[in-house]
Amino acid sequence: MGTQTWDPEQYRKNAGFVAFYGATVSDLLGEVTGRRILDLGCGDGVLTASLVEKGASVLGVDSSAEMIDDAVKRGLDAKVMDATSLSFSNEFDAVFTNAVLHWIKDHDAVLAGVHRALKPHGRFIGEFGGHGNIAAVRTALLAGIASQGIDIKNRYEHNFPTEASFRSRLEKHGFTVDSIEIIHRQTPLPEGVRGWYVTFAKGPLAGLTPEQTESAIAHAEDLLRPSLCDDSGVWSADYVRLRFVAHRS
């Protein structure tokens, strides 16, 4: 699978719902005034900025230089950093992450780094794709790619764990799990499933010619239209989220 890349302008156009729903997750942090918080996978900094406005001292990190550049332009403290190689020790009262962990294969490295980064009893709060997330959307795109005579093996490598497996992983890394749940959330797509693919499926579509990409997406749209496009033409995606609240033991 090719590497997913991010275009901040495209992301704002097609993925504004990520921050919209993520605001509910950030509310789980509670009172943040005077707290030192790490926003893990901050993207363009929309949620980071909201935490700063509430009085928190926030550092945003993300692996995308383009997204970090956007966050810095907002006046935020943000830097490029790989989530599997966090360099902090006993620095943060809380770590917050939204819609990030499913892009990362090595959850053990992330959790070990988050545990080190937190102060004793510091909180780790987040949400990301859970088991079954975008199952229809992924399957349809793979069918579209296969229709072009292209091998689909390893085209999708997301990490969508079950509630039980992620709870176990958190506990293994020294966290006490306060709550964890799977949330099924049909999510409207502002630019349809085509806009979603253009933004989020650059990895699976890597190596295809423009003509093959167009044909693959059109094929996927045809497959999904009966189930994910309503009679007024509004598209949605079959999102399944894994939301958790934990603290360093």
Side-chain angles (χ1 to χ4, degrees):
M1 185 181 78
T3 301
Q4 174 70 29
T5 58
W6 301 103
D7 179 324
E9 183 176 348
Q10 186 182 81
Y11 191 87
R12 281 190 291 274
K13 179 181 179 182
N14 293 318
F17 61 85
V18 175
F20 174 79
Y21 289 109
T24 302
V25 186
S26 67
D27 287 343
L28 296 173
L29 289 164
E31 178 57 57
V32 297
T33 301
R35 299 290 185 178
R36 179 67 169 155
I37 297 174
L38 176 67
D39 186 350
L40 183 62
C42 65
D44 60 2
V46 172
L47 291 176
T48 318
S50 71
L51 292 172
V52 171
E53 289 169 3
K54 293 177 182 178
S57 168
V58 189
L59 172 64
V61 298
D62 200 284
S63 62
S64 169
E66 292 80 9
M67 296 295 255
I68 287 295
D69 184 56
D70 241 40
V72 170
K73 287 176 181 176
R74 293 177 186 270
L76 299 170
D77 183 8
K79 63 174 66 176
V80 176
M81 186 176 292
D82 187 330
T84 63
S85 304
L86 298 178
S87 58
F88 312 105
S89 179
N90 296 303
E91 182 173 341
F92 298 96
D93 298 296
V95 174
F96 167 73
T97 185
N98 180 59
V100 173
L101 296 184
H102 50 258
W103 295 103
I104 301 171
K105 186 175 182 179
D106 190 355
H107 281 174
D108 287 311
V110 176
L111 297 181
V114 170
H115 191 273
R116 285 193 305 271
L118 284 168
K119 298 174 183 177
H121 309 297
R123 305 174 76 205
F124 183 29
I125 292 172
E127 182 181 290
F128 64 107
H131 184 67
N133 188 55
I134 55 167
V137 171
R138 285 186 295 152
T139 300
L141 183 61
L142 290 175
I145 294 170
S147 75
Q148 303 305 300
I150 295 170
D151 185 4
I152 60 174
K153 184 179 181 180
N154 298 326
R155 281 271 160 181
Y156 260 113
E157 296 183 345
H158 285 128
N159 193 349
F160 297 138
T162 63
E163 176 185 329
S165 67
F166 195 67
R167 174 190 287 272
S168 177
R169 201 171 294 277
L170 282 165
E171 292 172 344
K172 183 180 78 172
H173 286 279
F175 289 97
T176 296
V177 179
D178 301 304
S179 66
I180 187 168
E181 61 178 328
I182 285 285
I183 300 170
H184 292 265
R185 190 187 75 216
Q186 205 73 7
T187 302
L189 303 176
E191 298 292 325
V193 75
R194 176 176 292 270
W196 192 96
Y197 285 137
V198 168
T199 303
F200 291 107
K202 292 176 182 176
L205 290 167
L208 276 68
T209 66
E211 293 77 16
Q212 288 173 323
T213 296
E214 169 58 32
S215 294
I217 290 177
H219 186 94
E221 281 184 307
D222 288 342
L223 290 173
L224 291 171
R225 188 169 284 106
S227 57
L228 296 185
C229 184
D230 67 19
D231 56 10
S232 62
V234 176
W235 283 88
S236 60
D238 52 328
Y239 271 46
V240 179
R241 314 312 278 174
L242 181 57
R243 182 178 294 181
F244 63 92
V245 176
H247 65 271
R248 176 178 164 177
S249 303

